[in-house]
Amino acid sequence: MTLSPYLLFIVAVVTVSTTAATSATKRVGRSGEDLRLPRDILPRSYEVTLLPILIEGNFTTEGYVSISVDCIQSTNNITLHIADIIFNPVDIELTDLATEQLISISSVVEDKVRQFLILTPNAQLLAGRQYRLSMAFTSILNNELRGFYRSSYNENATTKYMAVSQMQPTDARRAFPCFDEPNMKANFTMKLGRLTTQLSTSNMPVKETTPIADRPGYVWDLFETSLPVSTYLVGMMVSEFTFIDSPAGLSTTPFRIWTRPEAVSQAEYASRIGPQVLSFYEDYFQIAFPLPKQDMVALKDLSFGGMENWGMITYRETALLFDPVKSSESDKQRVVTVVAHELAHQWFGDLVTMDWWSELWLNEGFASYMEYLGANYVEPEFGLIEQIVINDIQDVFGVDALESSHPISVEVNDPNEINELFDDISYAKGASIIRMLNKFLGEQSFRAGLTNYLNGRKYSNAVADDLWSALTAQAIADNVNLPVDVRTIMNTWTLKMGYPIVTVTRDYATSAATVSQERFLLRSNPDSTDETVYRWWIPLTYTSDFSQPQKSSWMAFEQPAIQISNVGASNRWVIFNVDQVGYYRVNYDDANWNMIIAQLLLDYQQISLINRAQLLDDSLNIARVNALPYAFPLELTQYLTKEQDYIPWTSALNGLSYLDLMYIRTTGYGEFKGYLTKLVTPLYDYVKFNDTVGDSHLLIYTRVTAVTWACKLDIGDCVSNSVNFYQAWMNDPTNPTIVPVNQKATITCTAIANGGDPEWDFAFQRYLDSNVAAESSKLLFGLSCSTDPLTLQKLLEWSLDPTSGIRRNDASSVFINVGSNPIGRDLTFDFIQNRWSDMVAYFPSLYDLARIVDSVSEGFNTPAEVEELKQLQADHADELGTAARAIDQSIERSESNVEWMSLHYQEVLDWIQQNP
């Protein structure tokens, strides 16, 4: 709707600040300005009415909100959140619920810096009384993937528009005025307006549908009142979507999968696994799912992979839909793990919500851990219990080895700081330390303690101490032998950043060992002013024979080193951190490393699968920081010519990928490439290029890994297979079975890298035409593999053009993929430097831009490249927002790369030359 001149005037008069916060203001906010709502007024219930207008030229929402509040402490004002909402102050009403009398409001102030709406009534609000705050408003259905926003999709050559919500973390205030903090839970009664040709859904079931009196063809859907829930978990959607119900008997909770009509056939897999995972969690936590239904919605446009709105979970299509013909095994694993992650949030996050964003890991760490258990329940052959080691633990080790990392629990205030927490530390490190906690408590005590925690805090909020208290009480009840209480142990892992490297130095004459701990750092800053004592309570486990029970010991925070007796015979290796349960790396004396290497070369299966992966990852990264000569990890990699399992190979190639990045633009790359080819070729020969009927999930994963690297290394059979399959597809483009689905990304990439415009144009058209989001992602990756700089430049340009066919939430993937192409790396960084403002305006979050910079700069290893990064940071210092920490980390990593080139470039080459 168009605003009247009167309304524009009123809004301008009552607004304190009508511009964005300056950098100075931001700094004030972070150093002391109160960005939290006062707690003298707390919400009890909301009635929210929203009518989205999905008409081109008028994408707005007509809204009305009525909030019942409790006055906890007598006060002279009410402060709540509001952002990007238009309202008329004269329409705001405040009612004393005891007398039903209106209270006049003398002042209405909108603080746009803090996103506050401050109301001052003419009479003091009294403690113990209840009031109702009501107001009409209009908001914009933005295309920024936040708040109540608009999305679109094509159906039969027609653009269909829809309205859907994404409130987390601080965007409910863009949908309707509210108390937008997680510990201000309330009951919500939602009322959504829609055309009769549309449907709506929200957290609760529809209670009744009635016509809208003054709008022919429109109806209201009134939803049942919710249980107490945080604002960021409120979900709603108005669309022309359709749905399928899950098969009966899989869960006592009705399950429904929503999607655009042309994709409904892809919803069957999620409709089967979702209810089973929910039932598994009900049994695991011994707490029934408390809502009367569970909707899961597949969206074209969503800023996250999934969002755990209570009872109405939203997903990107790639995370919920699976096509039996066009989707791969990795697509299936993504669906089952993301579904399991979001359903775990229905307990960790929704039933019990962290008190404030500083404890985000209580939500995300637990969901990230539980996703492996939930997914393993429905797909036990996927090997997901083992995959947590490579997907989470070893992955997050990289960022947590930086001085610019952050603790799991960290103070945050403004929305930028809150958004920064949605990173690997909260998710993957959170999952890793929870896994460690599970192992030293034991499964039975862990589960029982979680149940007590959830029951004790349900429909409310929690801090970490609530969890530690519940687990400590259960450990005492179960006679679990712990050196101190759970809180004391776990605070050393949550309240400081980083992790230890445990060094084991054996005394072979006495069979004893000295075990020491210190922080593992990628690069130590001699000018650091950090005075934190980096030591931990470490649960040590070790063995010299995997057929026998492991041994264990505790290393106290106060102990930089301890002595352990009887670690093993002098002629026998010992391995610490059995199955990499502990969140730490391990280094050994030379003799022990040599015995481990000899064992792997003789009979590698005498060492467990996970520990083979651990040894590869630890040794390559310990050598990277100059704490171990590279001869040890490189000699260890020689056993890989016999290794056939996915998990050790993934660890090895992740570590060797770093060396690949360091060498790929140097004269030494040919020799390094030759060594990699020698390692990969036996694996490629074993798994071969094509899948066969009956192949296991992990064998297919191993084949994908081998084929990806074989084609990257230009192994002839791999390249020719890829080019031939792609050419056959070009000759028969509507045949979905010509190209092996699990190899489609590699085949497309290799054919485009070895082809020209016809190959690239074909892939782009397939991208535009595909009805399967997972296939589109593979094609978009393949497009970035071109070796023509002009084509790559065009792809970058198109990514910022909403008319090109590349969706806004795919754009960051394009930049990351092109930036990972050796030919596209400099192009992408130049593009970032020259088009920074355009990218900031286009991407939903600055964090997307930070991810791009991080990916593009991953291989920076010259002083000139580091200076370019620092200049980029300096040029935009006042506008980095959520990207600030990630840019710091990119610079720190690049400086480490420069040091590596000086210390190790020739060392590794010399070893390769001596071991052809």
Side-chain angles (χ1 to χ4, degrees):
M1 62 183 289
T2 301
L3 293 173
S4 69
Y6 170 76
L7 184 54
L8 285 170
F9 172 76
I10 290 292
V11 171
V13 167
V14 301
T15 298
V16 168
S17 172
T18 59
T19 59
T22 64
S23 58
T25 304
K26 290 177 184 176
R27 285 193 294 272
V28 169
R30 292 182 178 188
S31 64
E33 183 181 8
D34 187 3
L35 297 171
R36 300 283 299 275
L37 293 178
R39 298 189 62 83
D40 41 21
I41 297 288
L42 294 178
R44 174 184 290 262
S45 65
Y46 291 77
E47 294 179 6
V48 181
T49 301
L50 299 172
L51 175 60
I53 308 300
L54 294 164
I55 300 174
E56 290 189 7
N58 186 23
F59 290 117
T60 56
T61 298
E62 299 173 14
Y64 184 84
V65 64
S66 177
I67 313 173
S68 297
V69 300
D70 293 322
C71 185
I72 308 302
Q73 181 174 325
S74 296
T75 181
N76 293 314
N77 62 60
I78 298 176
T79 304
L80 65 161
H81 285 110
I82 195 169
D84 297 338
I85 284 177
I86 302 163
F87 64 96
N88 188 334
V90 301
D91 289 338
I92 301 175
E93 293 186 347
L94 181 63
T95 304
D96 186 328
L97 290 180
T99 64
E100 287 297 327
Q101 295 295 308
L102 288 176
I103 301 172
S104 60
I105 298 174
S106 62
S107 172
V108 178
V109 175
E110 185 180 3
D111 180 342
K112 291 199 172 184
V113 173
R114 296 189 293 175
Q115 300 176 343
F116 281 2
L117 179 62
I118 305 169
L119 311 176
T120 304
N122 280 317
Q124 187 181 48
L125 305 182
L126 301 178
R129 301 284 282 271
Q130 294 180 18
Y131 301 88
R132 180 173 61 244
L133 172 66
S134 305
M135 63 185 291
F137 59 91
T138 300
S139 61
I140 304 300
L141 276 173
N142 67 72
N143 63 348
E144 299 171 354
L145 311 185
R146 59 180 181 169
F148 198 34
Y149 67 94
R150 73 178 187 270
S151 179
S152 65
Y153 58 94
N154 292 324
E155 183 179 287
N156 299 323
T158 300
T159 300
K160 300 284 188 176
Y161 291 101
M162 59 182 293
V164 69
S165 62
Q166 171 57 48
M167 309 301 201
Q168 192 183 48
T170 58
D171 290 316
R173 65 195 68 175
R174 300 179 193 279
F176 51 88
C178 57
F179 296 82
D180 200 11
E181 295 189 0
N183 62 6
M184 294 186 173
K185 288 189 171 186
N187 304 99
F188 282 80
T189 303
M190 304 299 296
K191 188 177 182 180
L192 298 179
R194 60 175 174 85
L195 287 164
T196 54
T197 56
Q198 298 170 324
L199 294 173
S200 72
T201 187
S202 186
N203 304 81
M204 298 294 288
V206 174
K207 182 178 182 180
E208 64 179 20
T209 299
T210 56
I212 299 180
D214 56 346
R215 288 183 183 268
Y218 280 82
V219 295
W220 290 116
D221 284 336
L222 176 66
F223 293 83
E224 294 179 9
T225 300
S226 75
L227 294 168
V229 65
S230 302
T231 50
Y232 82 88
L233 294 167
V234 173
M236 58 248 190
M237 179 180 73
V238 173
S239 71
E240 294 181 42
F241 273 20
T242 187
F243 57 81
I244 63 170
D245 292 314
S246 291
L250 299 179
S251 171
T252 57
T253 301
F255 244 84
R256 182 168 284 179
I257 313 298
W258 295 74
T259 183
R260 53 190 172 85
E262 290 186 345
V264 71
S265 63
Q266 303 170 41
E268 190 271 336
Y269 180 63
S271 77
R272 286 190 295 104
I273 62 166
Q276 294 180 74
V277 172
L278 192 80
S279 296
F280 168 78
Y281 288 147
E282 288 182 312
D283 177 68
Y284 191 91
F285 299 128
Q286 290 293 291
I287 299 172
F289 180 65
L291 301 188
K293 61 90 178 176
Q294 179 67 72
D295 288 339
M296 302 203 298
V297 183
L299 299 172
K300 281 279 192 181
D301 300 307
L302 186 67
S303 54
F304 292 86
M307 177 61 216
E308 63 268 20
N309 312 308
W310 209 8
M312 194 208 103
I313 305 172
T314 52
Y315 299 84
R316 283 192 184 183
E317 286 191 350
T318 54
L320 189 65
L321 302 183
F322 178 81
D323 185 289
V325 175
K326 295 183 178 180
S327 298
S328 66
E329 283 293 303
S330 62
D331 298 329
K332 179 181 280 190
Q333 179 168 309
R334 174 163 170 76
V335 170
V336 71
T337 52
V338 177
V339 166
H341 181 102
E342 301 306 330
L343 288 173
H345 272 310
Q346 307 301 288
W347 284 264
F348 281 95
D350 298 5
L351 180 68
V352 178
T353 308
M354 79 266 141
D355 187 71
W356 179 242
W357 297 106
S358 57
E359 303 274 23
L360 175 65
W361 78 275
L362 285 175
N363 289 12
E364 298 300 347
F366 267 97
S368 297
Y369 173 71
M370 290 303 304
E371 74 180 56
Y372 288 96
L373 278 63
N376 182 72
Y377 175 75
V378 293
E379 297 287 8
E381 74 279 7
F382 281 14
L384 288 161
I385 299 300
E386 293 77 25
Q387 285 192 52
I388 191 174
V389 171
I390 52 175
N391 295 340
D392 283 22
I393 299 169
Q394 293 178 2
D395 181 64
V396 74
F397 272 165
V399 68
D400 208 21
L402 300 174
E403 287 195 325
S404 50
S405 183
H406 67 85
I408 286 180
S409 295
V410 60
E411 182 181 353
V412 290
N413 291 300
D414 69 36
N416 282 335
E417 292 174 334
I418 293 167
N419 275 290
E420 281 186 333
L421 289 186
F422 287 82
D423 64 1
D424 280 351
I425 298 298
S426 296
Y427 286 71
K429 183 175 181 179
S432 300
I433 66 165
I434 290 165
R435 176 174 176 260
M436 178 174 68
L437 172 64
N438 171 288
K439 298 304 180 183
F440 70 69
L441 282 178
E443 176 73 6
Q444 180 178 341
S445 296
F446 178 76
R447 286 179 63 174
L450 292 188
T451 298
N452 294 337
Y453 162 74
L454 291 169
N455 277 324
R457 304 303 303 172
K458 63 184 177 183
Y459 310 123
S460 187
N461 299 83
V463 296
D465 280 354
D466 296 319
L467 176 64
W468 306 148
S469 296
L471 292 172
T472 296
Q474 191 63 48
I476 292 171
D478 293 343
N479 294 315
V480 177
N481 184 21
L482 296 178
V484 289
D485 62 272
V486 173
R487 178 180 182 272
T488 300
I489 295 169
M490 296 307 293
N491 276 354
T492 66
W493 298 97
T494 61
L495 301 184
K496 66 182 73 173
M497 59 184 166
Y499 58 92
I501 177 172
V502 169
T503 300
V504 179
T505 306
R506 297 177 64 182
D507 182 339
Y508 292 93
T510 64
S511 299
T514 300
V515 181
S516 63
Q517 62 163 308
E518 61 180 318
R519 185 183 178 187
F520 183 88
L521 275 173
L522 192 60
R523 176 177 180 267
S524 182
N525 180 4
D527 300 321
S528 174
T529 58
D530 185 357
E531 297 182 354
T532 304
V533 177
Y534 285 101
R535 290 197 297 269
W536 293 261
W537 275 95
I538 305 175
L540 299 173
T541 56
Y542 55 98
T543 187
S544 57
D545 185 346
F546 282 91
S547 68
Q548 299 297 315
Q550 67 186 36
K551 299 176 182 179
S552 62
S553 181
W554 279 93
M555 192 169 192
F557 164 78
E558 298 83 5
Q559 296 174 308
I562 61 172
Q563 296 288 320
I564 298 179
S565 60
N566 298 318
V567 296
S570 61
N571 63 346
R572 182 78 178 172
W573 47 262
V574 63
I575 290 175
F576 272 66
N577 202 6
V578 176
D579 288 335
Q580 204 161 13
V581 164
Y583 187 70
Y584 55 91
R585 295 195 184 279
V586 186
N587 196 7
Y588 303 99
D589 58 76
D590 292 357
N592 198 66
W593 273 120
N594 284 327
M595 283 190 282
I596 290 171
I597 292 168
Q599 178 65 74
L600 288 169
L601 291 171
L602 177 66
D603 182 0
Y604 66 89
Q605 291 183 329
Q606 292 299 309
I607 296 175
S608 74
L609 180 81
I610 291 177
N611 279 108
R612 299 200 301 270
Q614 174 222 15
L615 290 165
L616 288 157
D617 185 69
D618 277 358
S619 63
L620 284 163
N621 282 281
I622 293 169
R624 180 176 171 181
V625 300
N626 207 35
L628 181 70
Y630 258 103
F632 288 101
L634 291 171
E635 287 176 12
L636 195 153
T637 63
Q638 292 188 100
Y639 103 91
L640 288 169
T641 57
K642 302 175 183 178
E643 179 67 78
Q644 297 175 348
D645 281 300
Y646 169 70
I647 289 174
W649 262 109
T650 300
S651 294
L653 290 172
N654 286 342
L656 292 168
S657 291
Y658 176 74
L659 302 185
D660 187 77
L661 274 174
M662 294 300 97
Y663 283 103
I664 197 164
R665 295 159 72 94
T666 71
T667 56
Y669 184 64
E671 290 176 287
F672 178 74
K673 180 180 177 183
Y675 182 70
L676 272 185
T677 301
K678 184 177 76 170
L679 295 180
V680 170
T681 297
L683 182 68
Y684 178 75
D685 291 341
Y686 166 69
V687 297
K688 307 195 184 316
F689 192 92
N690 293 314
D691 295 340
T692 58
V693 176
D695 284 345
S696 69
H697 179 77
L698 287 179
L699 176 58
I700 292 171
Y701 262 45
T702 307
R703 180 177 295 113
V704 170
T705 300
V707 168
T708 299
W709 275 89
C711 283
K712 172 182 169 62
L713 295 168
D714 298 316
I715 293 175
D717 183 75
C718 187
V719 173
S720 63
N721 267 309
S722 296
V723 170
N724 291 340
F725 273 117
Y726 194 81
Q727 187 60 54
W729 190 23
M730 291 179 68
N731 293 336
D732 190 2
T734 61
N735 186 338
T737 63
I738 287 179
V739 174
V741 64
N742 292 303
Q743 312 299 350
K744 184 169 284 186
T746 298
I747 287 171
T748 304
C749 177
T750 304
I752 287 175
N754 288 273
D757 289 344
E759 287 77 10
W760 196 92
D761 293 341
F762 175 81
F764 190 72
Q765 190 59 49
R766 297 276 70 72
Y767 166 78
L768 295 177
D769 294 343
S770 179
N771 186 45
V772 178
E775 179 185 50
S776 297
S777 296
K778 296 178 181 65
L779 291 164
L780 203 58
F781 165 74
L783 291 167
S784 69
C785 297
S786 173
T787 55
D788 176 28
L790 293 178
T791 298
L792 296 175
Q793 182 71 27
K794 175 177 67 175
L795 184 57
L796 295 177
E797 297 282 354
W798 285 4
S799 297
L800 297 187
D801 179 358
T803 68
S804 69
I806 297 174
R807 300 189 74 87
R808 183 184 292 260
N809 65 339
D810 284 339
S812 62
S813 296
V814 172
F815 280 89
I816 289 171
N817 292 337
V818 174
S820 299
N821 180 339
I823 294 171
R825 192 191 77 172
D826 292 345
L827 278 174
T828 307
F829 192 73
D830 289 344
F831 193 99
I832 294 168
Q833 290 175 306
N834 296 326
R835 299 283 299 278
W836 177 272
S837 297
D838 294 334
M839 295 177 74
V840 168
Y842 194 74
F843 286 113
S845 167
L846 278 170
Y847 189 65
D848 290 323
L849 199 49
R851 288 174 54 239
I852 293 167
V853 173
D854 181 70
S855 176
V856 171
S857 64
E858 191 176 11
F860 281 13
N861 58 10
T862 68
E865 289 167 339
V866 172
E867 289 307 310
E868 284 190 287
L869 262 182
K870 290 181 176 179
Q871 188 61 53
L872 180 72
Q873 182 186 52
D875 289 344
H876 306 287
D878 291 340
E879 53 183 328
L880 289 177
T882 56
R885 179 181 285 121
I887 299 295
D888 285 340
Q889 291 171 346
S890 297
I891 291 171
E892 185 180 347
R893 188 179 292 114
S894 297
E895 289 175 334
S896 171
N897 293 346
V898 172
E899 290 184 2
W900 189 94
M901 292 295 288
S902 173
L903 293 171
H904 302 299
Y905 174 84
Q906 194 59 48
E907 177 190 5
V908 172
L909 275 187
D910 288 345
W911 185 91
I912 290 173
Q913 289 165 358
Q914 294 163 14
N915 296 269

